[in-house]
Amino acid sequence: MPLPSPTTGDRIHGHDRMNTSRPPEADTPTAPAPGICPCCGLAHDGLSVSIPVSRPTLTDKVPPAEWAERVWSNGEMCVIDDERFYLYGSVLLSIHGHPDEFAWGAWAEVSEEQFMAYQELRAEEGREAHAPLAALLGTDIPFYPVTLGLPLMVHVQPQGLRPNFVLDAGPHPLVQDQAGGVSPERVESIKAWFASIKAG
């Protein structure tokens, strides 16, 4: 099977792009000044942010010259050495006092059987009714102690949407943040970090 070439320009385990929500609508007589959040009064350009990651962290161990033989990925699914199987999705964190959610793009490692089953579901109407898949986090997410291997459930979403990853209960800080949410200030600090590595 022909395999894609590695993506170039990746930084921090593949975190290399950021998609933000639409900018605030124009000011009106009853609206706050442009860029001022009506919920917290802070100046920001939207907290509903997704920070994507281009590949599972394990691919860092594959020399670029060997990608064509050892790694296959279409951006939504990935296979390493024909024995490690991954799905791409989101670890969602609620934001205190806001309707928005912050999303870490991440990969989840599943069994070969689950991988093939998910591939069959991709074009299926009503696929969100499928039972969640047990998996392990395959992305080492910045700002936290090592997150690789954290157990989770993959919740399949309707067509056009990536899966949501719900971490199993436990003491890890990322698990706690998913359960309890994060502050707007923390989201802003992560956005600033990501903007700096994009500019760097």
Side-chain angles (χ1 to χ4, degrees):
M1 174 189 301
L3 302 174
S5 300
T7 302
T8 58
D10 297 328
R11 298 185 178 91
I12 313 299
H13 299 304
H15 287 283
D16 59 353
R17 304 183 309 278
M18 177 169 65
N19 298 322
T20 61
S21 60
R22 292 182 298 174
E25 296 180 358
D27 193 18
T28 67
T30 58
I36 301 299
C37 175
C39 296
C40 67
L42 296 177
H44 55 67
D45 58 359
L47 290 173
S48 182
V49 175
S50 176
I51 296 185
V53 58
S54 61
R55 60 184 190 255
T57 298
L58 185 62
T59 60
D60 289 351
K61 298 184 180 297
V62 179
E66 298 178 12
W67 265 66
E69 294 296 326
R70 299 178 58 189
V71 179
W72 175 88
S73 178
N74 64 4
E76 305 293 329
M77 307 173 75
C78 182
V79 182
I80 303 173
D81 292 330
D82 290 327
E83 61 183 29
R84 308 291 290 269
F85 301 88
Y86 297 87
L87 305 177
Y88 186 64
S90 300
V91 176
L92 299 176
L93 310 179
S94 62
I95 303 173
H96 298 160
H98 290 259
D100 301 330
E101 289 183 304
F102 174 84
W104 283 111
W107 293 86
E109 184 171 9
V110 297
S111 69
E112 182 176 7
E113 180 181 3
Q114 291 171 322
F115 184 87
M116 299 306 294
Y118 181 79
Q119 188 172 27
E120 294 297 322
L121 286 173
R122 294 185 71 196
E124 185 176 306
E125 292 289 346
R127 64 181 192 169
E128 62 273 18
H130 193 277
L133 309 172
L136 300 175
L137 192 59
T139 298
D140 196 13
I141 294 178
F143 287 85
Y144 292 96
V146 174
T147 61
L148 282 175
L150 287 177
L152 58 86
M153 300 300 289
V154 176
H155 290 256
V156 180
Q157 300 300 299
Q159 282 190 355
L161 298 176
R162 294 189 176 109
N164 289 339
F165 298 159
V166 179
L167 298 163
D168 291 1
H172 193 282
L174 179 60
V175 174
Q176 297 301 307
D177 280 355
Q178 187 173 57
V182 293
S183 69
E185 293 80 7
R186 181 167 173 81
V187 174
E188 290 291 359
S189 69
I190 295 172
K191 286 173 59 180
W193 160 79
F194 193 72
S196 71
I197 66 169
K198 286 184 67 181

